[in-house]
Amino acid sequence: GAVVSQHPSRVICKSGTSVKIECRSLDFQATTMFWYRQFPKKSLMLMATSNEGSKATYEQGVEKDKFLINHASLTLSTLTVTSAHPEDSSFYICSAWTPTDTQYFGPGTRLTVL
Amino acid sequence: RKEVEQDPGPFNVPEGATVAFNCTYSNSASQSFFWYRQDCRKEPKLLMSVYSSGNEDGRFTAQLNRASQYISLLIRDSKLSDSATYLCVVNPGTGYSTLTFGKGTMLLVSP
């Protein structure tokens, strides 16, 4: 069964709105979660590392004020895409390390900004 | 040199064929290694971890050569359902660090 969940699985929004994506670890605690983005036919790109109780670590070129990450509990990290624009349309995926030292991915959220 | 390099694809093979994927990594201090598969428009899913002693899971065999910094995945008797992109993934550090991904190799198995 799934060990990492994401919600929503798909979202369509108007340009300028904000969208929140949730990532949950199921049945285990994750002090660290990762957020990726994947454009069609491209590789996964790490956006940021989400750390429970502290600030996220963003990869170079990722705007922290645009992609807000909150890791308020040991099982939940959220990514908020603020003032979304069509170029933010992408497949957003989170992941977490499980206690068995493997990293599992959530099912992803497909964002379409009109 | 890229951190994790994989065979460029796609690989087109008939059902029943044996196919091998190769991967090299640049960081000799890398600690753990994985193969993931990713279906179109889906998330990556763990296929198997890779150990120095080599490991097998049904039709899939993974091998690691630390001296050569080389990882391989062999798929025997390929099925149509094996069609996917196969990602070579390396954990460059200890603990729960950020994974490094290869670009992936697409496999297309045809009837």
Side-chain angles (χ1 to χ4, degrees):
Chain A
V3 295
V4 178
S5 70
Q6 268 184 253
H7 177 80
S9 58
R10 182 184 294 268
V11 59
I12 301 173
C13 69
K14 292 182 179 179
S15 187
T17 59
S18 294
V19 175
K20 181 186 282 189
I21 303 170
E22 293 185 348
C23 177
R24 293 183 186 273
S25 57
L26 307 177
D27 301 324
F28 70 96
Q29 295 180 335
T31 54
T32 304
M33 291 183 176
F34 303 92
W35 286 98
Y36 295 84
R37 180 168 55 179
Q38 188 173 34
F39 292 105
K41 299 187 179 183
K42 298 291 185 183
S43 303
L44 276 173
M45 295 295 295
L46 179 67
M47 298 177 68
T49 302
S50 173
N51 304 298
E52 188 270 335
S54 64
K55 290 182 180 179
T57 305
Y58 289 82
E59 295 300 301
Q60 191 173 9
V62 178
E63 299 174 58
K64 60 183 179 182
D65 294 329
K66 180 168 181 63
F67 299 99
L68 302 178
I69 291 173
N70 184 11
H71 196 148
S73 80
L74 287 169
T75 58
L76 173 65
S77 174
T78 60
L79 168 68
T80 301
V81 182
T82 61
S83 186
H85 290 281
E87 58 265 30
D88 298 323
S89 298
S90 188
F91 190 43
Y92 292 86
I93 313 173
C94 70
S95 70
W97 286 101
T98 69
T100 55
D101 293 342
T102 50
Q103 191 170 125
Y104 283 90
F105 290 83
T109 298
R110 196 160 300 281
L111 170 64
T112 303
V113 184
L114 302 176
Chain B
R1 182 181 175 185
K2 293 178 184 171
E3 292 185 69
V4 178
E5 288 200 67
Q6 293 186 240
D7 290 328
F11 284 16
N12 289 281
V13 303
E15 268 187 294
T18 296
V19 60
F21 298 120
N22 301 311
C23 172
T24 57
Y25 60 96
S26 60
N27 184 351
S28 59
S30 297
Q31 296 295 313
S32 50
F33 310 87
F34 310 90
W35 284 102
Y36 283 76
R37 69 169 278 168
Q38 186 174 22
D39 293 280
C40 188
R41 299 173 68 84
K42 298 286 187 181
E43 79 279 18
K45 292 186 177 176
L46 180 66
L47 182 64
M48 56 200 307
S49 301
V50 189
Y51 306 110
S52 296
S53 56
N55 48 306
E56 187 174 311
D57 182 3
R59 298 182 293 110
F60 299 84
T61 301
Q63 296 208 310
L64 166 66
N65 184 323
R66 284 188 183 269
S68 303
Q69 295 177 209
Y70 169 84
I71 306 161
S72 66
L73 175 68
L74 186 75
I75 305 176
R76 291 180 300 278
D77 188 25
S78 52
K79 312 289 185 190
L80 295 177
S81 57
D82 293 333
S83 297
T85 296
Y86 289 82
L87 301 167
C88 177
V89 182
V90 173
N91 181 0
T94 56
Y96 299 158
S97 52
T98 306
L99 295 176
T100 305
F101 289 81
K103 289 188 177 296
T105 303
M106 183 182 288
L107 172 65
L108 300 170
V109 182
S110 53

